[in-house]
Amino acid sequence: GISVIYVTKEMDAGDILLQKRVALETGETSASLSGKMAGEAATILCEALDLLVSGDVHPQPQDPARVTETRKLTKEDGPIDWSHSAQVLDCRVRAFNPWPCATFQRDGLTIKLQRVGVEDGKGHPGEVLDVKGGPLVATGDGAVRLLDVQPPGKKAMSGDAWLRGYPLAVGDRLG
């Protein structure tokens, strides 16, 4: 969601003037959410300014126990750990799109994952379970179908199209 807060010396500690929840759509990525949030932020900021001008503002203190912090993402966050669950990997791929981008290694090349689909499947994490319709790769819990990938120096393509140039077989392992 979006919060308009008073600025204080401490990070994320000012009183809240206005908040708005924003629903995530199925398949939402960091890139698509960024655009959606920008539009919503403009609207809520105008509403907050109207409240300030009218004097009808009632700031609410933040609960320090509910404040969370995170660090800035780096390129080192991108490599996929296939031992995570399929759900976690799907979330990471969407969160890291467009940057730092979820990646994996194949034949010394860094392949970017643009979109995956969560499916049933069992095998060793990173093991290719199926190649029809794009590679189906085992995870720590379930499997992910590589729907859109981007090899180095190429445009994003479907997992199925990628297999035509970078063939995989059932049982191969992705690093």
Side-chain angles (χ1 to χ4, degrees), residues 110-125:
T110 300
I111 310 299
K112 295 179 180 179
L113 283 174
Q114 302 289 336
R115 189 169 61 101
V116 299
V118 175
E119 296 187 21
D120 291 330
K122 289 188 181 198
H124 298 288

Side-chain angles (χ1 to χ4, degrees), residues 26-71:
T26 302
E28 192 95 65
T29 66
S30 179
S32 64
L33 185 59
S34 180
K36 180 191 292 187
M37 295 295 272
E40 294 291 345
T43 301
I44 194 173
L45 184 57
C46 288
E47 291 173 22
L49 290 172
D50 287 343
L51 288 174
L52 285 169
V53 168
S54 72
D56 191 26
V57 65
H58 306 285
Q60 299 296 313
Q62 292 195 54
D63 179 356
R66 297 188 67 202
V67 172
T68 60
E69 291 185 25
T70 190
R71 63 178 174 75

Side-chain angles (χ1 to χ4, degrees), residues 17 21 25 37 53 66 68 71 90 117 123 133 141 149 151 160 167:
L17 299 176
R21 295 179 76 91
E25 304 295 326
M37 295 295 272
V53 168
R66 297 188 67 202
T68 60
R71 63 178 174 75
D90 175 52
D141 182 16
V149 301
D160 200 39

